[in-house]
Amino acid sequence: MKRRACVVASSEMTIRAFLIPQLRAMHEQYDVTVVVNTRNPRLLCDLGVDATLAPVAISRDIALGRDLRALWALFRLMKANRFDLVHSLTPKAGLLAMVAAWLAGVPVRIHTFTGQVWATRRGLVRRSLRALDKVLSGAATATVADSRSQRDFLVREGVVLASSVSVLGNGSVGGVDTVKFRSDAHARRRLREQLAIPPADVVLLFVGRLTKDKGVLDLARAFDRIAEDRPDVRLLIVGPDETRMRTSLEALCQRHKHRIHFLEFTDRPQDVMAASDVLCLPSYREGFGSVIIEAAACGLPSVASRIYGIVDAVEEGRTGLLQQPGDIEDLAANLHRLIQDPALRRALGAAARDRARQDFQPAVLSAALLNLYSSLLNRVSEKGAVMHDRLPELQRLDLGASEPGASAARVTWYTTFGKRALDVTVAGFAIVLLAPVFLVLALGVRCALGAPVLFRQRRPGRHGVPFVLVKFRSMTDRYDRHGDSLPDGDRLTGFGRFLRATSFDELPELWNVLVGDMSLVGPRPLLMEYLPRYTARQAVRHQVKPGITGLAQVSGRNGLDWERRFELDLYYVAHCSLSADLKILARTLWQVVARRGISQPGHVTADKFMGVEGR
């Protein structure tokens, strides 16, 4: 039986331009569903793709009402179909799809970054949009960048971890079909006749959305300067005029606007490339610049911006020329150089064509993508079997309902859906509202204890699968003369005692809740070394996600012995409900205020669990 895969994109154009080879390759191994904003029920049939179409209205612009409806539609779809993996592309589709897949419990969630909207923004807008990308990457189990320079940018900006982002092959989303994109004398002659462009004129081509970020205004200014001296140069602009820029473009080239040709849409971009001589992409932001390698396959050199993404698509001086974004003088000089030197134009174009054929074959990208899918799915399977030999498969335990907490985890509407919704809502709002508190505490830790501010440690999550727990650091790193850590009492500072007494050290665990490693309420995540020490009955506590607080914490915390704590954990596993969680959360607030059970009698914190004799 094939595994179930879901691909999510916001527009038909993304499917048509980039994903057809991958979707066809995926069909061999997966039962594929394609989610896209479309009104054409025959879209996939028309493209020759054997997959299930699921139309969802995902808009490009921010519209809270529509976005929430799309999020709900995606969640319902993913919950009903129980996909093994979800893969999203484009920013809005990625944010909604990754959050929906996360809420629905999809085990493998992948997003491909194809450029950052916020890269050219400043101030609060930039920080807000970058934060959304961080949420997206936090909800994903893996991310892909469509160029190496974009990957480095994302890591440098703190959006993704270097260990969690990859680049497939030599970059790009789907490579370039060199059978479709190639030199075509017949198409060149036909389109030039259609647009009334003389055969000998040099055509500068722009393909893409007409927006300021794409640098089309800079291109118009550069063309206006060149056109003064070169009456044999034309500018062909192909793409949707999303921001009504045509009037501005014509105004910038008033004396030469009759030599600017506009095509709002074409389903044969290879023809406009075959009819042109130089591709121009003076963009301010770009993921990879797939249009560059498509034009390259047609034998066109490129003049483009020296920015992340584009520098992976253009080998400067070999397949094209680069200029600083916004430098109109440099842009005009590069264009003029290629216009007046046909031999250089042909040499760069030939090298570009060879590179497109060698480095960006769709079959290579598709194989790399399928390998990534397989690797991530196998990793999930291995994690599902990570339970230690002394931790049997918990779902199959039959311990008898007469013992408190001995039965398997309770399954209700709340445990399958409501609990996660409560976790995300409360943790999300808490992180936003407590941001000033986080900042003050972080500064306090930095001043009192030094770096690092956060304490990170692997702890067992649901079914014993490890995750990295984060807390504010409350102890110093002090060692004896043998290099061993000093006892907790010697390493716990006054500020650290304050953090523990108020439970402020636990606040960063809200992030663990938000990304799905933990829940607000559940058995506390203990040490990895305890796993082999549990009895089969005690191991039942790992049937649910660990919590920031739990029944044991509000019933005495570290003041209880291990046996009593485990009994309370097991009781919670068997009796989890909305009312129980709300009561535990309310009692937690009182417990924090009262500062009860902070340490076990005779210990600074608590003694270690060494197991049960004679088990």
Side-chain angles (χ1 to χ4, degrees):
M1 183 177 178
K2 291 182 179 179
R3 284 170 161 167
R4 301 174 66 83
C6 178
V7 176
V8 184
S10 58
S11 70
E12 287 187 21
M13 184 58 67
T14 302
I15 305 297
R16 294 178 183 274
F18 304 119
L19 300 184
I20 294 175
Q22 290 95 320
L23 291 173
R24 289 173 178 168
M26 287 174 64
H27 171 68
E28 300 298 322
Q29 300 181 27
Y30 298 92
D31 181 0
V32 183
T33 296
V34 177
V35 177
V36 64
N37 188 357
T38 182
R39 295 182 179 180
N40 178 9
R42 291 188 51 81
L43 173 64
L44 298 182
C45 294
D46 295 342
L47 298 176
V49 173
D50 191 352
T52 301
L53 179 66
V56 174
I58 303 173
S59 62
R60 180 186 294 271
D61 300 324
I62 297 176
L64 185 58
R66 292 198 301 268
D67 292 343
L68 289 175
R69 287 193 293 271
L71 178 64
W72 176 246
L74 288 168
F75 171 79
R76 291 181 59 191
L77 176 73
M78 293 173 187
K79 196 70 175 177
N81 286 274
R82 297 182 179 274
F83 294 114
D84 295 289
L85 71 87
V86 170
H87 186 179
S88 62
L89 299 94
T90 68
K92 173 66 80 60
L95 179 62
L96 297 179
M98 290 299 96
V99 172
W102 172 33
L103 291 171
V106 177
V108 174
R109 307 177 297 276
I110 309 165
H111 175 71
T112 295
F113 285 103
T114 55
Q116 287 67 54
V117 177
W118 47 269
T120 57
R121 304 296 195 271
R122 296 290 183 271
L124 181 60
V125 173
R126 178 186 175 92
R127 291 194 296 271
S128 300
L129 293 175
R130 183 176 58 184
L132 290 178
D133 268 357
K134 286 186 177 181
V135 171
L136 186 162
S137 63
T141 54
T143 55
V144 175
D146 64 2
S147 69
R148 294 183 179 92
S149 56
Q150 183 189 193
R151 175 195 60 196
D152 296 341
F153 174 78
L154 290 169
V155 172
R156 189 167 61 250
E157 290 288 332
V159 174
V160 297
L161 296 175
S163 59
S164 68
V165 61
S166 58
V167 178
L168 303 181
N170 291 301
S172 85
V173 175
V176 58
D177 182 350
T178 54
V179 174
K180 176 181 177 182
F181 290 91
R182 57 185 177 84
S183 299
D184 187 336
H186 178 69
R188 180 182 179 89
R189 183 173 58 255
R190 184 180 65 248
L191 188 62
R192 285 187 171 230
E193 289 175 354
Q194 177 185 330
L195 298 175
I197 297 175
D201 279 9
V202 178
V203 176
L204 308 178
L205 173 67
F206 172 87
V207 179
R209 294 178 292 109
L210 273 63
T211 65
K212 185 177 180 180
D213 280 353
K214 290 291 186 178
V216 290
L217 295 177
D218 295 344
L219 179 58
R221 293 185 177 99
F223 173 75
D224 185 60
R225 298 182 185 188
I226 293 169
E228 281 292 315
D229 302 323
R230 296 294 302 245
D232 60 337
V233 175
R234 304 284 180 128
L235 178 59
L236 175 56
I237 297 177
V238 181
D241 189 1
E242 296 181 351
T243 54
R244 299 181 181 179
M245 299 194 71
R246 177 169 179 170
T247 302
S248 299
L249 294 172
E250 290 178 331
L252 288 171
C253 305
Q254 183 63 38
R255 291 170 297 175
H256 312 290
K257 67 178 182 180
H258 62 285
R259 285 194 272 154
I260 303 179
H261 307 269
F262 292 90
L263 287 178
E264 187 81 13
F265 171 78
T266 179
D267 57 359
R268 291 185 59 83
Q270 64 270 30
D271 289 352
V272 298
M273 292 173 181
S276 303
D277 299 288
V278 179
L279 179 81
C280 309
L281 189 60
S283 183
Y284 286 78
R285 63 176 179 87
E286 206 72 38
F288 174 78
S290 294
V291 67
I292 291 175
I293 59 171
E294 291 173 347
C298 296
L300 269 64
S302 296
V303 173
S305 301
R306 191 180 290 106
I307 60 173
Y308 79 82
I310 288 181
V311 296
D312 298 89
V314 176
E315 289 188 357
E316 188 169 10
R318 180 172 177 267
T319 67
L321 304 177
L322 299 177
Q323 92 285 330
Q324 289 301 113
D327 190 336
I328 298 170
E329 293 288 344
D330 198 13
L331 173 60
N334 283 340
L335 291 173
H336 193 269
R337 181 183 174 190
L338 292 185
I339 290 168
Q340 68 179 6
D341 191 344
L344 176 61
R345 201 163 65 230
R346 287 192 296 269
L348 294 178
R353 180 171 56 246
D354 292 343
R355 183 172 184 240
R357 291 174 175 173
Q358 180 177 340
D359 292 351
F360 300 105
Q361 286 295 324
V364 175
L365 270 296
S366 296
L369 182 65
L370 292 178
N371 286 338
L372 176 65
Y373 287 172
S374 179
S375 173
L376 293 172
L377 288 167
N378 289 340
R379 194 179 305 168
V380 168
S381 298
E382 291 170 4
K383 282 186 176 181
V386 154
M387 295 304 289
H388 193 275
D389 291 343
R390 293 181 181 269
L391 292 175
E393 294 184 20
L394 300 177
Q395 267 73 8
R396 299 181 181 178
L397 288 176
D398 183 9
L399 303 175
S402 61
E403 297 180 278
S407 59
R410 189 180 189 189
V411 179
T412 65
W413 73 270
Y414 175 68
T415 58
T416 56
F417 170 70
K419 187 173 177 65
R420 183 63 185 144
L422 178 66
D423 286 343
V424 172
T425 302
V426 174
F429 276 109
I431 288 174
V432 173
L433 293 175
L434 296 175
V437 177
F438 276 90
L439 179 60
V440 171
L441 293 176
L443 291 173
V445 173
R446 185 68 175 83
C447 294
L449 301 172
V453 170
L454 295 178
F455 169 79
R456 294 180 172 87
Q457 188 178 55
R458 277 162 52 91
R459 297 287 180 93
R462 190 181 182 198
H463 301 320
V465 177
F467 72 97
V468 178
L469 177 137
V470 290
K471 301 170 64 173
F472 281 124
R473 196 158 68 96
S474 58
M475 293 186 183
T476 60
D477 294 323
R478 296 177 60 194
Y479 304 91
D480 60 22
R481 59 190 181 88
H482 301 293
D484 298 322
S485 294
L486 292 175
D488 288 355
D490 295 331
R491 294 188 296 126
L492 192 62
T493 65
F495 186 70
R497 293 178 190 277
F498 164 76
L499 289 177
R500 293 202 172 199
T502 57
S503 294
F504 283 162
D505 62 322
E506 310 280 357
L507 287 180
E509 291 172 34
L510 288 168
W511 174 252
N512 288 119
V513 174
L514 197 60
V515 300
D517 295 327
M518 295 176 63
S519 179
L520 292 170
V521 181
R524 282 293 297 167
L526 303 176
L527 300 178
M528 293 295 296
E529 65 189 74
Y530 292 176
L531 289 179
R533 300 173 187 170
Y534 294 131
T535 64
R537 185 167 182 273
Q538 291 168 343
V540 174
R541 71 192 302 276
H542 285 286
Q543 282 197 30
V544 298
K545 289 181 182 179
I548 293 180
T549 186
L551 184 58
Q553 280 60 53
V554 299
S555 302
R557 201 174 173 182
N558 287 332
L560 302 174
D561 60 32
W562 283 110
E563 184 176 355
R564 179 57 179 158
R565 272 187 267 178
F566 288 150
E567 286 298 323
L568 292 168
D569 288 342
L570 298 180
Y571 184 86
Y572 174 81
V573 169
H575 298 86
C576 176
S577 67
L578 174 60
S579 60
D581 280 3
L582 294 177
K583 289 177 182 177
I584 290 172
L585 289 172
R587 289 174 62 186
T588 297
L589 296 176
W590 168 247
Q591 195 83 6
V592 170
V593 173
R595 300 190 180 186
R596 293 176 177 172
I598 297 170
S599 61
Q600 198 167 15
H603 298 271
V604 175
T605 52
D607 65 335
K608 284 193 173 184
F609 173 65
M610 302 307 296
V612 179
E613 293 184 8
R615 60 180 174 178

